[in-house]
Amino acid sequence: MSVTATQTVQHGAGGGSLGYRPHRVHDYLYGKYLYSIYVEKDHARASFRAHASLDRVKKVPEYKAMFSNLPHHPRYTLRLEATDPVPVFIDRRWRGRVEQRREALQQIAAYNPAIKIQDSICDHPDVSGKNFYKYFKRPLIPFSQHIPPEVVLAIPKADPFAPPDGGRPATPLVRTVAVQTDYRESEAQTDPCTLEYVIRPGSAPELLTLATLTWGQGLPSGVAEVEMIERARVKRAWEATLPPLNDLSQLDKRRRMMDEMERQEWAIREAEIERLQEARLEVLKKLLKQREDKQQETNTKRLDNLWSKHQHKKEEKIMRIRNNHIKAIRKLTGKMKNVQGKLERRDFIKEYADYGSQTYAPLSRIGFFPDRNSERCVVKSRFLSSFEGLLELESSLPDFVTQPRIKAPKPKTNTGFIKRAARRELELSEIHQALKDEKTKGEEKKPLRFLQKIEKPIPRPTTPTIRAPPEGEEEKELAVIYLQKLLRGRAIQNMMFEGKEKRLELIQELRTTHALQEDKQLLKKAEKQVTLALQRQRDMHQHKLSVIESHQSNLEGGILADMFDFLSKELVRLQEERRIHAFAMLAERDRRIREAEESGRRQVEERRRREEDEIFRQVVQVHQESVESYLEDIILGTIEKTADEQARDEIHKVAEEVNHIAYEMEKTRTHLQSEEIVAELVYSFLIPEVQKITVRDRVRQSQRKHLLAAHRIVHAATETSQGVTERLDSPATMSLHDHLGG
């Protein structure tokens, strides 16, 4: 079991940062480990930068001009917050002198332990932060190094300058402890378990025959498991009917019954194999069909993509050709308007007088789009963007909108009365025609004084020749001419009848005017008086309507004139406002460019100053490291030389002692002791080598046996038997058998 403990620290709601910033404004005051200032000049510069930052500037909106874009009516004003973000107890002075004094005291305390350093100038010597560069130095170790020199040795986090009787650290308010075991949830027992059981002596329950079935492998049981259980029951019943083995007279019957049962089992097994093969074939067919469908779908998508690409290229080419055609036609039209190639000066009065000119309606191809952002005015509704919405909108409308009621107009009846306007128009047309005729009569063409036209004689036509008509042709021609006369006369009669029918009312009016009796003439006069009264009443009504319409038109004209005047003034104001805004944007852009150039020069100067500081620090560090490496080489060389001399002296002493002992043994040694020494050498060198060779031969023989067994398992029965026979007959195998037999 492994136990892990994690500690979580709760931050305030405002602890998250809104975005990445290289450094904060007051990091030079708060950044104790991650922000360090080496020179007092840099501290003064950072302080000035913090005082001049825009963090204390707040935008206050002006509600009267909140949506204005004009520079003289700004949307907001800038105000400086009076509160200081730095608390009063924070020291704003440069702490570099205190750090230099602390480092000097630490160096002195390393050589003189009598000097005590106050806790007020101590700091935690962490590996991270501003002291991170101090740990990239090779330590001076006066003995052989067992650790590679590039390994950074981290010192303990405890304060080395803290008093020995320091208190226990405070326990955190929130702590999360997690425990993890060696087992996962996926490894837990999820299958139904089998309880322990005891079988009664002499009994064999049928349930124990299903002990081989487990959850997921036969359980819960299906149709195949039920068939297997039924076959097992039939087989047990068949085994109960078998004759006993001790009855020799029924051995043949037992053998026949067993053969019959074996044939049935083989038939069942073959049926199961066929069923499995059919299932596999179905699965293979499905897989092949899926693969073909996927391949067909891939091919279809590829063809669709190619077709869409070619279609897109075709449309682009057609559009390009159309644009070129329109451009060429426009150029030709412009050339045709100015065939002589004269240069005309721009007529501003004509352009401002014509409301269809470029001044009022510029073309979009020259870069002006008067209907820009027109999609804002487009009505976006679900009733207009979908078919269901249109159906819903249509169902909500009344019937007279979707089913208009159209009435056929009544035919106009001509009563023979001609309106005053028609009579006046007819009189004017007659007068105009008379004047035109008089004008054409009065103008006579004067002959030319010196020009005479010489007429060419007309060429004489060729003398025509007539064939002699055949017999009966003249009678037919006369009959056709007579028939034509009849048809023409009938057509003229029909035309006269149609004209009479069309002008029947006029004829009747003439008849009633010229050939009526006195009573009818009186009736006509009365009708005439009624008609004149109605006409006068209608004229008065039309006069009233015309007066009302004139007053309405005067009012509408005044309103429209005021509206157009207001719109024209608003257009001029908007154009002036846009021009002023463009000038302001250009001035802002120039200011930003100048600020960017100034900031670039400032960054270059700061980068150059940082490079010089870094070069000075690297030079000092190289000098210090060269001195340390020089001293280290001298110390290591002295240590190695001293160790070498001491080792040589000890080796000489040991060699002299061993020589004295060997000489003493040679003087007192006998022949028997010499043989014992030789026997021990032979036993310790020759016999182990012979044993090693024997063990190697045994291992090799055992590996050959396993190799032959693996070959028999891998290959098929026939191929294995043939291969084994060939290998046994081979001389290598015979020699191997002889070796193993030996």
Side-chain angles (χ1 to χ4, degrees), residues 387-403:
F387 181 69
E388 292 79 5
L390 289 174
L391 294 179
E392 186 177 353
L393 181 62
E394 185 178 355
S395 62
S396 64
L397 295 175
D399 295 338
F400 68 86
V401 178
T402 56
Q403 298 176 1

Side-chain angles (χ1 to χ4, degrees), residues 421-623:
R423 288 200 303 271
R424 216 173 262 175
E425 185 177 358
L426 182 61
E427 291 174 359
L428 290 173
S429 62
E430 290 177 355
I431 292 169
H432 175 68
Q433 187 65 31
L435 292 173
K436 197 173 181 182
D437 294 340
E438 289 293 333
K439 187 176 181 180
T440 52
K441 287 180 180 178
E443 293 180 357
E444 295 180 358
K445 292 185 178 180
K446 296 180 180 180
L448 297 176
R449 186 174 181 181
F450 300 104
L451 185 64
Q452 292 181 0
K453 184 178 179 181
I454 300 173
E455 295 182 357
K456 294 182 179 180
I458 300 172
R460 297 183 64 179
T462 56
T463 303
T465 57
I466 300 173
R467 284 182 175 184
E471 295 181 359
E473 186 70 23
E474 189 174 358
E475 289 80 2
K476 288 181 182 180
E477 187 175 355
L478 293 175
V480 169
I481 291 170
Y482 182 71
L483 183 60
Q484 288 177 356
K485 288 180 180 180
L486 289 177
L487 292 174
R488 287 174 182 169
R490 190 63 180 171
I492 292 170
Q493 288 179 0
N494 290 333
M495 289 172 63
M496 292 177 64
F497 182 76
E498 288 177 0
K500 186 193 76 169
E501 290 293 331
K502 287 180 181 179
R503 296 165 179 81
L504 185 61
E505 295 177 355
L506 182 60
I507 294 170
Q508 290 178 359
E509 184 179 358
L510 293 174
R511 285 178 181 175
T512 55
T513 304
H514 296 285
L516 291 178
Q517 297 178 2
E518 293 182 358
D519 54 353
K520 290 185 179 181
Q521 288 181 358
L522 293 174
L523 288 174
K524 288 294 181 182
K525 287 181 180 179
E527 289 179 359
K528 182 178 180 182
Q529 295 294 331
V530 172
T531 304
L532 291 173
L534 291 174
Q535 187 175 4
R536 283 193 299 270
Q537 187 178 0
R538 186 177 60 186
D539 292 339
M540 292 175 65
H541 182 66
Q542 287 181 355
H543 178 67
K544 289 181 181 179
L545 291 177
S546 63
V547 171
I548 293 170
E549 288 179 357
S550 64
H551 288 300
Q552 288 180 354
S553 61
N554 290 331
L555 292 174
E556 290 175 357
I559 294 170
L560 289 174
D562 295 338
M563 184 176 66
F564 288 148
D565 183 39
F566 174 73
L567 290 176
S568 63
K569 290 179 181 178
E570 285 294 322
L571 179 61
V572 172
R573 187 189 64 79
L574 182 60
Q575 290 176 354
E576 292 295 331
E577 182 181 346
R578 287 184 178 177
R579 190 183 305 117
I580 293 168
H581 182 62
F583 289 154
M585 289 182 66
L586 290 174
E588 183 69 19
R589 181 188 171 202
D590 294 339
R591 186 183 63 80
R592 288 179 180 174
I593 290 172
R594 291 175 183 174
E595 287 181 355
E597 292 176 354
E598 184 65 26
S599 63
R601 287 193 292 269
R602 202 174 297 158
Q603 289 176 2
V604 169
E605 291 176 0
E606 291 180 358
R607 184 169 61 251
R608 190 179 300 128
R609 182 180 53 79
R610 287 197 298 269
E611 289 176 357
E612 291 175 357
D613 294 343
E614 183 66 23
I615 290 168
F616 176 73
R617 193 176 65 81
Q618 292 290 343
V619 169
V620 173
Q621 185 177 359
V622 168
H623 290 172

Side-chain angles (χ1 to χ4, degrees), residues 636-650:
L636 291 177
T638 307
I639 291 171
E640 289 177 358
K641 185 176 180 181
T642 307
D644 189 16
E645 291 177 358
Q646 291 179 1
R648 288 179 184 277
D649 294 339
E650 290 179 359

Side-chain angles (χ1 to χ4, degrees), residues 35 99 201 280 290 328 340 349 385 392 434 603:
Y35 196 96
E99 294 177 358
R280 289 180 180 177
Q290 290 178 0
Q340 298 177 0
I349 298 174
S385 60
E392 186 177 353
Q603 289 176 2

